[in-house]
């Protein structure tokens, strides 16, 4: 709607991408030049990595870092352009050119990692220890973890050739979900639009929204199941090609997390389902029903005041300022430098993200600010990423600044907690306090518990497919309900149509076992927040170093420096203690 922008206090808050490239033509020129340099890098080093001494390796790494930054800048520019003008002709052209260029870049540079991985352990250890390569040391060490799962260069090239066919299946899935029209309340609505009604005040509207969604999914179940069946079948075949021994192995490896630690975390989540049941029962009382239905899960509680864009940006920056002045500056620069796009408008994508752009660039944030409490939370989240990217970008190289998703979501979640706790400490209006607590609790549940049950659902599907059985819609429906049941227990009634709930979730299709990274980040952040409360000054100093460290070490080692031992199964209990505290606070806040 065109009128929203002018009424919204974020009107006109658009980023300025000309600081990256003046025009898309300049981006194309930069891409072509980087590809040229990629070709000469290949000519200089292919077949020679094994001969390099420490100085030679350092020089090669410097060129790799430079190429990485240049490709990353072009790719980000094109992605950012597209995200605010999805249908734009220039945007689609530059995007197509960049996609093609990046595939070429990967093909050009793949040899370097493969030859490095192929070095014998002793020679590699000597080079890794050399002071010349100190800044890229973790990258050199850590990519060797893929050694047992990597094939020869020509085999890897051939495997990469299948990528377009594999991604065509996920495109089909996305087309079904994005073109789905859900008739509801007198209009055809997208999935996101209809799901926004599950937060409606009227119970019959919330129930109706779910019913309409599940009914609309029904005719597409066999297509969606077939896509998943095909993709899982392909992944299992690739696991055999790459010698992976369990379904989650490629993801754990990518996240650099020990499989036992992830297992212990998922088990700990499931042991704490009673906290969720306790909240659901309390929520039933709050909204005046005898038992909660699924559709009541996100029913609004309390009523939060609204926040203008200026209030929200000030609130977040000043909350972070208590934590560290340098971090406050990161936020204020982001606002002032035209690196923030907050105004909702036609043609812009939904949701929010923070783009690191490149190690030698500064981050950009996209969000759709609508003056709600949730937008304040989103802003804090994205700024959490922003401060991480900025600090690690300053201290690390292109190859060591950007951590894998599990660790990357820690600073964003932690920043949300800083802002939430400040809001709660200062807020005196009872309905706003209750709204704040409910939002925090339900946000944590949707992450910690719900993303865990998604992992269990996926594991069931992989197990069945690996036994040579097809993933038919009914079977997926049974797995989905079986995975959900322990979370909701007998505290929440699940509607019949909920067995179709798997059929629109993109994570299963795009990246297997993606969702536990959110669980990890949330539980780690809760535990870190407890440490911050215990000794703010000492923690703040260590935390700045943690941000600067980027991915210059394993997640386990980086977190150990903050006093958190993720290899100890008991470490997860701290997060649940904090969740329990929030539920207790919300119970106390409730008017008798
Ligand atoms: Zn995030």
């Amino acid at each position: 709607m065109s009128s929203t922008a002018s009424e919204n206090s974020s009107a006109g808050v658009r980023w300025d991408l000309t600081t990256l490239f003046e025009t898309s033509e300049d981006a194309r020129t930069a891409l072509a030049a980087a590809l040229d340099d990629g070709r000469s890098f290949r000519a200089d080093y292919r077949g020679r990595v094994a001969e390099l001494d420490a100085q030679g390796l350092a020089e090669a790494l410097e060129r790799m870092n430079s190429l990485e930054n240049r490709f990353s800048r072009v790719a980000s520019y094109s992605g950012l352009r597209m995200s605010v003008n999805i249908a734009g002709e220039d945007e689609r052209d530059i995007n197509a050119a960049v996609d093609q260029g990046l595939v070429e870049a990967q093909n050009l540079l793949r040899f370097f990692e493969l030859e490095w991985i192929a070095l014998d352990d002793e020679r590699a250890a000597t080079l890794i220890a050399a002071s010349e390569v100190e800044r890229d040391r973790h990258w050199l060490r850590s990519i060797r973890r893929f050694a047992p799962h990597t094939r020869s260069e020509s085999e890897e090239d051939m495997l990469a050739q299948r990528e377009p066919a594999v991604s065509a299946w996920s495109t089909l899935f996305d087309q079904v979900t994005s073109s789905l029209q859900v008739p509801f309340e007198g209009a055809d609505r997208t999935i996101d639009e209809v799901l926004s009604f599950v937060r409606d005040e009227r119970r019959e509207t919330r129930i109706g929204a779910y019913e309409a969604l599940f009914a609309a999914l029904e005719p597409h179940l066999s297509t969606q199941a077939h896509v998943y069946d095909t993709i899982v079948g392909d992944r299992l075949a690739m696991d055999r090609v790459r010698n992976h021994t369990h379904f989650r192995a490629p993801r754990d490896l990518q996240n650099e997390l020990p499989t036992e630690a992830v297992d212990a975390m998922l088990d700990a989540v499931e042991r704490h389902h009673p906290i969720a049941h306790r909240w659901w029962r309390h929520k039933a009382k709050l909204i005046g029903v005898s038992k909660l239905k699924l559709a009541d899960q996100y029913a609004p509680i309390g009523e939060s005041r609204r926040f203008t864009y200026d209030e929200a940006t000030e609130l977040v920056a000043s909350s972070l300022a208590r934590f560290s002045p340098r971090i406050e500056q990161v936020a204020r620069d982001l606002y002032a430098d035209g690196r923030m796009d907050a105004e909702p408008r036609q043609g812009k994508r939904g949701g929010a993200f923070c783009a690191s752009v490149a190690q030698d660039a500064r981050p950009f944030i996209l969000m759709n600010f609508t003056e709600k409490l949730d937008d304040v939370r989103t802003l804090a989240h994205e700024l959490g990423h922003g401060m991480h990217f900025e600090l690690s970008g300053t201290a690390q190289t292109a190859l060591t600044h950007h951590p894998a998703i599990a660790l990357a979501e820690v600073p964003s979640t932690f920043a949300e907690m800083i802002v939430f706790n400040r809001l709660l400490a200062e807020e005196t209006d009872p309905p706003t306090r209750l709204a704040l607590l409910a939002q925090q609790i339900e946000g944590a549940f949707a992450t910690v518990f719900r993303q865990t049950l998604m992992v269990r659902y996926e594991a069931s599907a992989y197990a069945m497919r690996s036994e040579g059985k097809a993933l038919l819609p009914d079977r997926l429906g049974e797995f989905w309900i079986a995975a959900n049941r322990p979370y909701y227990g007998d505290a929440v009634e699940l509607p019949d149509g909920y067995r179709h709930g798997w059929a629109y979730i993109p994570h299963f299709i795009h990246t297997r076992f993606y969702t536990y990274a959110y669980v990890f980040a949330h539980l780690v952040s809760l535990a870190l927040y407890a440490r911050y409360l215990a000794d703010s000054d000492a923690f703040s100093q260590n935390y700045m170093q943690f941000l600067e460290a980027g991915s210059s070490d394993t997640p386990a080692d980086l977190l150990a420096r903050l006093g958190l031992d993720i290899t100890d199964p008991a470490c997860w209990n701290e997060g649940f203690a904090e969740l329990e505290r929030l539920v207790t606070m919300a119970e106390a806040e409730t008017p008798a």
Side-chain angles (χ1 to χ4, degrees), residues 159-176:
L159 290 175
Q161 302 285 346
R162 333 164 357 270
E163 291 298 334
V166 177
S167 66
W169 285 103
S170 44
T171 306
L172 174 60
F173 183 94
D174 290 345
Q175 279 171 356
V176 170

Side-chain angles (χ1 to χ4, degrees), residues 352-354 381-382 385 405 408-410 412-413 416 518:
F353 64 79
C354 177
H381 181 102
E382 302 311 337
H385 284 307
I405 172 93
E409 288 300 332
V410 170
S412 51
T413 314
E416 282 183 45
Y518 295 127

Side-chain angles (χ1 to χ4, degrees), residues 278-354:
R278 178 175 149 198
W279 171 250
W280 301 133
R281 291 202 184 90
H282 183 65
K283 180 153 187 172
K285 273 188 236 157
L286 283 171
I287 65 169
V289 298
S290 58
K291 183 174 177 175
L292 229 52
K293 289 179 184 289
L294 183 76
D296 300 323
Q297 188 179 196
Y298 301 115
I301 293 180
E303 196 181 342
S304 161
R305 63 188 173 93
R306 300 185 80 78
F307 297 82
T308 66
Y309 180 73
D310 287 346
E311 276 173 327
T313 47
E314 184 54 38
L315 179 74
V316 175
S318 58
S319 303
L320 296 173
R322 298 167 164 207
F323 185 67
S324 141
R326 184 168 168 206
I327 277 171
E328 178 187 17
Q329 200 53 46
V330 171
R332 297 205 183 275
D333 286 353
L334 233 147
Y335 303 153
D337 292 353
R339 286 185 285 120
M340 180 92 197
D341 202 299
E343 172 200 75
R345 57 188 185 274
Q346 277 294 325
K348 176 175 169 178
R349 58 156 277 182
F353 64 79
C354 177

